[in-house]
Amino acid sequence: MLLARLLDEKFATLYRAGKIQGGVFLGRGQEALSVSIGLALHKGDVFAPLIRDAAGRLAFGETVLDAVRTYLGSPLGPMRGRDGNVHRGKPREGYLPMISHLGAMVSVVNGALLAHKFKKISGTVGAACLGDGATSTGSFHEALNQAAVEKLPLVLVVANNQFAYSTPNASQFACAALADKAAGYGIAGHTVDGTDLSACLETVGKAVADARAGHGPQLIVADLLRLCGHGEHDDASYIPAAQKNSPQGRDCLKVAEEKILREQWADKAVLENWRAEAAREIETIVAQVQREPAPDPYEEDWTALSTKNFQEGLE
Amino acid sequence: MSITYLEAIREAQAKALRDDPRVFIYGQDVGAFGGAFKATKNLAKEFPGRVLDAPISEDAMVGAAVGAAIEGMRPIIEMQFADFSTIGFNQIVNQAATLFWRTQVSCPIVVRLPFGGTSGGGPFHSQSIETIYAHYPGLVVMTPATVEDAYAMLLEAVAIDDPVVFCEHKLLYYHLKAEKLPTEALPVGKARIAREGRDLTIVAYSAMVHEARSVKPLDTDTVMASVARTGRLLCVGESWPWGGVTAEVIARVASEGFGLLDAPPMRLNAKDTPVPYHPNLWAAHRPTARSIAANARKLLRS
């Protein structure tokens, strides 16, 4: 959580300094939920994070190096400058790189789980992350229904951060609670306070365990507030102050740190040390990646097909 | 003993299922029912658990195919009609077609599209939409025009590591027959010269005339060599006139072989309206033997 927060903040700094091409999207306020997913998943599971899941990605096993290389467009990164920022992953390791179309990754997770079924691999789960806005898409509906029909161990995690870009919940859906949708698909639904790490660990842990035990798809809806703009280009001036000051607007990282101190699991000095260590790791890696060469269009093979002789337009 | 284009497609799928445990079929009504056109007849029985009925969710069908392919499977998706693939369009062009480019992990899926007009099909069961898929990088678009090609190319579509949009013309399903299934075939990407000639090159695909077997990759070399002999080019397609395969062929010949042409190249496509329902209107909407012959004669006089 802390590493993800600091990594995000570094990306924001680099963005403001003009060192990052394209957008930067932070998970500020969503780290407790996100990290809970990454921690509940094991090797062999499938994970399709969304734009605000730096914490979940790191917990699932992504390295800071891969994240930085993707944001800085390094050809040594997993996306080699062909795709950037939050569009990163390693499909062979169950870590799926999102496309921008919301809800589209959920059925891809379903397909991976279906393949596990064909290959007689049991005990694996797949988690897909979405926001409140994605619940309005056809893809969300089709995929959730598909998972239900095939009884797949899908855990669909909705971070209800109250706004899809600038659009508030009231213009996004009309049901009382998003988790109520679970009943319509015949699957289990869970709600959780997304600002509370302990609650997230428990709820996500239980949902993932239920899916793993063969109890079918699980829908988790976490209530929280996005503590930043949609991207770093957005000042989020449309979020009312009252909402920012409500319990929903608590910073999950602060809440977790306060609990750690209160429970005396660690003292302030230890927390400071964690922060300094994480910051140092990030600075070292960013400095390393900044020295790496940029992608070279003359080195690029410009081939979108693995069957090379089918590629058109090559000289 | 003869075999139809449709039976060839069924046989190819049976062979793929038999030979490769990674293959499965997923689509609406493909299971016990055997598919809307019976292209999967008895396959669910012969291959239990590997021919799955899908909910009416084209987006999720293709998305699931991509996920399964990532995990090493070789899914065949049957769209009930090509027209409905627009619901899965996003997953085909943005998910499947970009995966290899973005990650170097290939995406071996086949999306079968029963396409093209049949009498009484109307606007939503008749479309020819190979063009829009061919427009996107990262996809192979096949348009088999013979029974032999339907069989051999579908097997190759399953075998190759890239996403293939496999366009099966519904008019050919029952009308085309062959004596037996082929044991060898031209490689995909290679056009067939249906009939050698000196006067005119007619480039067509699928139910029109038999030449371009895959529209992407497009075998420009064979077309160019033919135009070099004839000096005249007529391109025929059942799809709509704006852009498309016929436009692409003419653009390539004009830009790479302008000097080979003795007359302005000609295109013949469907009219720029939705596909009409009534047979009288439908027959006039698309190129027919008569309109192709009339245009060919016109081109020979020019």
Side-chain angles (χ1 to χ4, degrees):
Chain A
M1 246 178 119
L2 180 62
L3 185 62
R5 173 69 60 89
L6 296 177
L7 181 59
D8 269 359
E9 284 173 358
K10 184 65 189 178
F11 288 140
T13 306
L14 289 167
Y15 174 80
R16 285 192 289 274
K19 304 281 190 198
I20 287 179
Q21 304 293 320
V24 165
F25 306 90
L26 309 187
R28 196 177 178 83
Q30 257 172 243
E31 293 93 339
L33 175 68
S34 185
V35 80
S36 303
I37 307 156
L39 290 173
L41 299 177
H42 304 156
K43 199 172 161 32
D45 289 339
V46 179
F47 184 38
L50 209 67
I51 61 175
R52 305 189 195 289
D53 284 305
R57 291 169 189 259
L58 291 168
F60 187 65
E62 183 187 53
T63 61
V64 173
L65 183 61
D66 276 351
V68 172
R69 280 176 164 166
T70 306
Y71 255 113
L72 294 181
S74 166
L76 304 177
M79 313 309 280
R80 297 159 308 135
R82 288 179 170 188
D83 207 344
N85 53 62
V86 292
H87 299 280
R88 55 184 200 263
K90 289 189 169 175
R92 285 274 181 262
E93 294 167 25
Y95 172 29
L96 303 180
M98 58 174 282
I99 68 167
S100 296
H101 305 66
L102 294 174
M105 298 311 296
V106 185
S107 59
V108 180
V109 174
N110 287 348
L113 296 172
L114 206 55
H116 289 188
K117 231 162 129 173
F118 279 120
K119 297 197 285 185
K120 310 256 188 278
I121 298 170
S122 59
T124 56
V125 301
C129 299
L130 296 177
D132 39 278
T135 65
S136 308
T137 65
S139 294
F140 168 87
H141 166 71
E142 287 196 9
L144 204 46
N145 181 63
Q146 178 183 54
V149 168
E150 291 294 333
K151 299 180 180 58
L152 299 172
L154 170 76
V155 181
L156 187 51
V157 186
V158 176
N160 181 4
N161 67 18
Q162 316 301 317
F163 291 87
Y165 206 150
S166 75
T167 305
N169 275 180
S171 304
Q172 198 66 245
F173 55 87
C175 54
L178 280 177
D180 292 348
K181 295 197 176 200
Y185 295 101
I187 65 171
H190 312 258
T191 52
V192 64
D193 174 359
T195 68
D196 181 345
L197 176 61
S198 309
C200 287
L201 286 168
E202 190 186 329
T203 303
V204 173
K206 182 185 179 332
V208 168
D210 285 355
R212 213 183 285 288
H215 300 311
Q218 312 283 318
L219 174 67
I220 302 171
V221 180
D223 218 35
L224 48 90
L225 187 66
R226 194 180 73 213
L227 304 181
C228 51
H230 167 61
E232 280 308 275
H233 55 278
D234 170 25
D235 67 4
S237 54
Y238 44 81
I239 301 182
Q243 211 163 352
K244 288 181 187 166
N245 296 325
S246 73
Q248 202 174 57
R250 298 192 303 173
D251 178 349
C252 61
L253 184 62
K254 266 202 188 117
V255 173
E257 286 179 342
E258 283 161 12
K259 177 154 183 176
I260 288 170
L261 294 174
R262 203 170 52 245
E263 300 283 347
Q264 297 184 329
W265 292 330
D267 62 17
K268 265 203 156 128
V270 171
L271 287 187
E272 276 310 313
N273 197 27
W274 289 349
R275 185 174 282 266
E277 262 177 39
R280 209 163 31 239
E281 181 190 349
I282 291 164
E283 289 302 331
T284 308
I285 289 167
V286 169
Q288 175 196 330
V289 176
Q290 281 181 322
R291 287 193 301 272
E292 288 174 359
D296 178 352
Y298 296 101
E299 295 286 313
E300 173 59 67
D301 72 4
W302 299 110
T303 301
L305 294 168
S306 50
T307 315
K308 303 292 176 214
N309 60 323
F310 286 179
Q311 177 67 38
E312 292 216 330
L314 295 177
E315 296 304 316
Chain B
M1 161 76 194
S2 74
I3 182 159
T4 64
Y5 183 91
L6 178 66
E7 286 160 351
I9 285 165
R10 186 209 169 275
E11 290 308 312
Q13 293 182 105
K15 180 170 167 55
L17 285 162
R18 199 157 47 236
D19 293 352
D20 189 342
R22 301 172 300 175
V23 174
F24 71 96
I25 300 176
Y26 190 41
Q28 290 141 22
D29 305 299
V30 299
F33 185 67
F37 294 98
K38 300 295 171 209
T40 57
K41 190 177 170 186
N42 292 330
L43 293 182
K45 204 160 70 188
E46 289 172 40
F47 303 95
R50 295 173 65 196
V51 184
L52 308 182
D53 281 334
I56 303 177
S57 301
E58 287 82 2
D59 178 291
M61 278 155 50
V62 180
V66 173
I70 288 171
E71 293 286 320
M73 303 297 288
R74 300 254 155 180
I76 300 173
I77 299 297
E78 177 178 302
M79 290 289 166
Q80 201 148 70
F81 285 82
D83 315 48
F84 305 159
S85 74
T86 53
I87 304 298
F89 186 64
N90 179 47
Q91 298 283 12
I92 298 173
V93 304
N94 287 312
Q95 195 89 260
T98 66
L99 185 71
F100 176 73
W101 164 260
R102 299 198 308 141
T103 66
Q104 298 295 286
V105 171
S106 53
C107 186
I109 71 170
V110 179
V111 183
R112 290 182 38 236
L113 303 187
F115 86 105
T118 52
S119 185
F124 310 112
H125 293 76
S126 304
Q127 295 170 22
S128 300
I129 52 176
E130 62 287 346
T131 289
I132 51 174
Y133 292 109
H135 183 68
Y136 278 84
L139 298 174
V140 174
V141 183
M142 299 184 183
T143 49
T146 66
V147 174
E148 292 85 348
D149 276 353
Y151 180 78
M153 291 174 77
L154 183 49
L155 284 173
E156 184 155 4
V158 173
I160 69 170
D161 285 337
D162 292 297
V164 178
V165 175
F166 193 84
C167 303
E168 307 163 2
H169 201 293
K170 301 195 293 289
L171 202 64
L172 305 182
Y173 270 164
Y174 314 102
H175 291 174
L176 270 193
K177 288 192 176 83
E179 280 310 306
K180 57 179 173 44
L181 291 172
T183 48
E184 54 189 28
L186 275 178
V188 170
K190 182 86 187 126
R192 171 185 294 107
I193 311 257
R195 189 195 295 170
E196 294 273 358
R198 291 176 296 113
D199 303 326
L200 171 67
T201 300
I202 301 181
V203 174
Y205 55 100
S206 193
M208 288 291 129
V209 192
H210 314 154
E211 244 219 57
R213 300 156 67 243
S214 64
V215 299
K216 193 175 189 182
L218 185 64
D219 182 2
T220 313
D221 291 349
T222 299
V223 175
M224 212 69 83
S226 173
V227 173
R229 260 192 330 272
T230 65
R232 283 179 163 76
L233 173 64
L234 169 62
C235 293
V236 187
E238 191 181 321
S239 62
W240 289 304
W242 203 100
V245 179
T246 57
E248 182 67 26
V249 171
I250 287 181
R252 291 185 189 195
V253 171
S255 59
E256 294 164 34
F258 190 73
L260 304 174
L261 289 164
D262 296 331
M266 222 178 198
R267 288 174 71 202
L268 192 54
N269 279 96
K271 294 186 195 304
D272 192 25
T273 68
V275 184
Y277 158 72
H278 194 278
N280 289 354
L281 298 179
W282 176 63
H285 180 261
R286 62 200 262 283
T288 57
R290 182 179 295 200
S291 69
I292 294 168
N295 278 278
R297 279 193 289 273
K298 205 165 126 195
L299 183 54
L300 285 172
R301 284 195 300 270
S302 69

CSV table of all heavy atoms in Angstrom, one decimal, chain B residues 187-206:
chain,number,residue,atom,x,y,z
B,187,PRO,N,-1.4,-22.5,-49.7
B,187,PRO,CA,-1.2,-21.8,-48.4
B,187,PRO,C,-2.1,-20.6,-48.3
B,187,PRO,O,-2.5,-20.0,-49.3
B,187,PRO,CB,0.3,-21.4,-48.5
B,187,PRO,CG,0.7,-21.5,-49.9
B,187,PRO,CD,-0.2,-22.5,-50.6
B,188,VAL,N,-2.5,-20.3,-47.1
B,188,VAL,CA,-3.3,-19.1,-46.9
B,188,VAL,C,-2.5,-17.9,-47.3
B,188,VAL,O,-1.3,-17.9,-47.1
B,188,VAL,CB,-3.7,-19.0,-45.4
B,188,VAL,CG1,-4.3,-17.7,-45.1
B,188,VAL,CG2,-4.6,-20.1,-45.0
B,189,GLY,N,-3.2,-16.9,-47.9
B,189,GLY,CA,-2.5,-15.7,-48.3
B,189,GLY,C,-2.1,-15.8,-49.8
B,189,GLY,O,-1.6,-14.9,-50.4
B,190,LYS,N,-2.4,-17.0,-50.4
B,190,LYS,CA,-2.1,-17.2,-51.8
B,190,LYS,C,-3.4,-17.2,-52.6
B,190,LYS,O,-4.3,-18.0,-52.2
B,190,LYS,CB,-1.4,-18.5,-52.0
B,190,LYS,CG,-0.9,-18.8,-53.4
B,190,LYS,CD,0.4,-18.2,-53.8
B,190,LYS,CE,0.7,-18.3,-55.2
B,190,LYS,NZ,1.0,-17.1,-55.9
B,191,ALA,N,-3.6,-16.4,-53.6
B,191,ALA,CA,-4.8,-16.4,-54.3
B,191,ALA,C,-4.9,-17.5,-55.3
B,191,ALA,O,-3.8,-18.0,-55.7
B,191,ALA,CB,-5.0,-15.0,-55.1
B,192,ARG,N,-6.1,-17.9,-55.7
B,192,ARG,CA,-6.2,-18.9,-56.7
B,192,ARG,C,-6.6,-18.3,-58.0
B,192,ARG,O,-7.5,-17.4,-58.1
B,192,ARG,CB,-7.3,-19.9,-56.3
B,192,ARG,CG,-7.6,-20.9,-57.4
B,192,ARG,CD,-8.8,-21.9,-57.1
B,192,ARG,NE,-8.4,-22.8,-56.0
B,192,ARG,CZ,-8.9,-22.7,-54.8
B,192,ARG,NH1,-9.8,-21.7,-54.5
B,192,ARG,NH2,-8.6,-23.5,-53.9
B,193,ILE,N,-6.0,-18.7,-59.1
B,193,ILE,CA,-6.5,-18.3,-60.5
B,193,ILE,C,-7.6,-19.3,-60.8
B,193,ILE,O,-7.4,-20.4,-61.1
B,193,ILE,CB,-5.4,-18.4,-61.5
B,193,ILE,CG1,-4.2,-17.7,-61.0
B,193,ILE,CG2,-5.9,-17.8,-62.8
B,193,ILE,CD1,-3.9,-16.3,-61.5
B,194,ALA,N,-8.9,-18.8,-60.8
B,194,ALA,CA,-10.0,-19.7,-61.0
B,194,ALA,C,-10.0,-20.1,-62.5
B,194,ALA,O,-10.3,-21.2,-62.8
B,194,ALA,CB,-11.3,-19.0,-60.6
B,195,ARG,N,-9.7,-19.1,-63.4
B,195,ARG,CA,-9.7,-19.5,-64.8
B,195,ARG,C,-8.6,-18.5,-65.4
B,195,ARG,O,-8.7,-17.3,-65.3
B,195,ARG,CB,-11.0,-19.3,-65.4
B,195,ARG,CG,-11.0,-19.8,-66.9
B,195,ARG,CD,-12.2,-19.4,-67.7
B,195,ARG,NE,-13.5,-19.9,-67.1
B,195,ARG,CZ,-14.7,-19.4,-67.6
B,195,ARG,NH1,-14.7,-18.5,-68.5
B,195,ARG,NH2,-15.8,-19.9,-67.0
B,196,GLU,N,-7.7,-19.1,-66.1
B,196,GLU,CA,-6.7,-18.3,-66.8
B,196,GLU,C,-7.3,-17.6,-68.0
B,196,GLU,O,-8.2,-18.1,-68.6
B,196,GLU,CB,-5.6,-19.3,-67.3
B,196,GLU,CG,-4.8,-20.0,-66.3
B,196,GLU,CD,-3.6,-19.2,-65.8
B,196,GLU,OE1,-3.4,-18.1,-66.3
B,196,GLU,OE2,-2.9,-19.7,-64.9
B,197,GLY,N,-6.8,-16.3,-68.2
B,197,GLY,CA,-7.4,-15.6,-69.3
B,197,GLY,C,-6.4,-14.6,-69.8
B,197,GLY,O,-5.4,-14.3,-69.2
B,198,ARG,N,-6.7,-13.9,-71.0
B,198,ARG,CA,-5.8,-12.9,-71.5
B,198,ARG,C,-6.5,-11.6,-71.5
B,198,ARG,O,-5.8,-10.6,-71.7
B,198,ARG,CB,-5.4,-13.3,-73.0
B,198,ARG,CG,-4.5,-14.5,-73.1
B,198,ARG,CD,-4.3,-14.9,-74.6
B,198,ARG,NE,-5.5,-15.3,-75.3
B,198,ARG,CZ,-6.1,-14.5,-76.2
B,198,ARG,NH1,-5.5,-13.4,-76.7
B,198,ARG,NH2,-7.2,-14.9,-76.8
B,199,ASP,N,-7.8,-11.5,-71.4
B,199,ASP,CA,-8.5,-10.3,-71.7
B,199,ASP,C,-8.8,-9.4,-70.5
B,199,ASP,O,-8.8,-8.2,-70.6
B,199,ASP,CB,-9.8,-10.6,-72.4
B,199,ASP,CG,-9.6,-11.4,-73.7
B,199,ASP,OD1,-8.6,-11.2,-74.3
B,199,ASP,OD2,-10.4,-12.3,-74.0
B,200,LEU,N,-9.0,-10.0,-69.4
B,200,LEU,CA,-9.5,-9.2,-68.3
B,200,LEU,C,-9.2,-10.0,-67.0
B,200,LEU,O,-9.3,-11.2,-66.9
B,200,LEU,CB,-11.1,-9.1,-68.4
B,200,LEU,CG,-11.9,-8.6,-67.3
B,200,LEU,CD1,-11.6,-7.1,-67.1
B,200,LEU,CD2,-13.4,-8.7,-67.6
B,201,THR,N,-8.8,-9.2,-65.9
B,201,THR,CA,-8.6,-9.8,-64.6
B,201,THR,C,-9.8,-9.5,-63.8
B,201,THR,O,-10.2,-8.3,-63.6
B,201,THR,CB,-7.3,-9.2,-64.0
B,201,THR,OG1,-6.2,-9.5,-64.8
B,201,THR,CG2,-7.1,-9.8,-62.6
B,202,ILE,N,-10.5,-10.5,-63.3
B,202,ILE,CA,-11.6,-10.3,-62.3
B,202,ILE,C,-11.1,-10.8,-61.0
B,202,ILE,O,-10.8,-11.9,-60.8
B,202,ILE,CB,-12.9,-11.0,-62.8
B,202,ILE,CG1,-13.3,-10.6,-64.2
B,202,ILE,CG2,-14.0,-10.8,-61.7
B,202,ILE,CD1,-14.6,-11.2,-64.7
B,203,VAL,N,-11.1,-9.8,-60.0
B,203,VAL,CA,-10.7,-10.2,-58.7
B,203,VAL,C,-12.0,-10.2,-57.8
B,203,VAL,O,-12.7,-9.3,-57.8
B,203,VAL,CB,-9.7,-9.2,-58.1
B,203,VAL,CG1,-9.5,-9.5,-56.6
B,203,VAL,CG2,-8.4,-9.2,-58.8
B,204,ALA,N,-12.2,-11.4,-57.2
B,204,ALA,CA,-13.3,-11.5,-56.3
B,204,ALA,C,-13.0,-12.4,-55.2
B,204,ALA,O,-11.9,-13.0,-55.1
B,204,ALA,CB,-14.5,-12.1,-57.2
B,205,TYR,N,-14.0,-12.6,-54.3
B,205,TYR,CA,-13.7,-13.5,-53.2
B,205,TYR,C,-15.0,-14.0,-52.7
B,205,TYR,O,-16.1,-13.5,-52.9
B,205,TYR,CB,-12.9,-12.8,-52.1
B,205,TYR,CG,-13.6,-11.5,-51.6
B,205,TYR,CD1,-14.4,-11.5,-50.4
B,205,TYR,CD2,-13.5,-10.3,-52.3
B,205,TYR,CE1,-15.0,-10.3,-50.0
B,205,TYR,CE2,-14.1,-9.2,-51.9
B,205,TYR,CZ,-14.8,-9.2,-50.7
B,205,TYR,OH,-15.4,-8.0,-50.3
B,206,SER,N,-14.9,-15.1,-52.0
B,206,SER,CA,-16.1,-15.8,-51.4
B,206,SER,C,-17.1,-16.1,-52.4
B,206,SER,O,-16.8,-16.7,-53.4
B,206,SER,CB,-16.7,-14.9,-50.3
B,206,SER,OG,-17.6,-15.7,-49.5
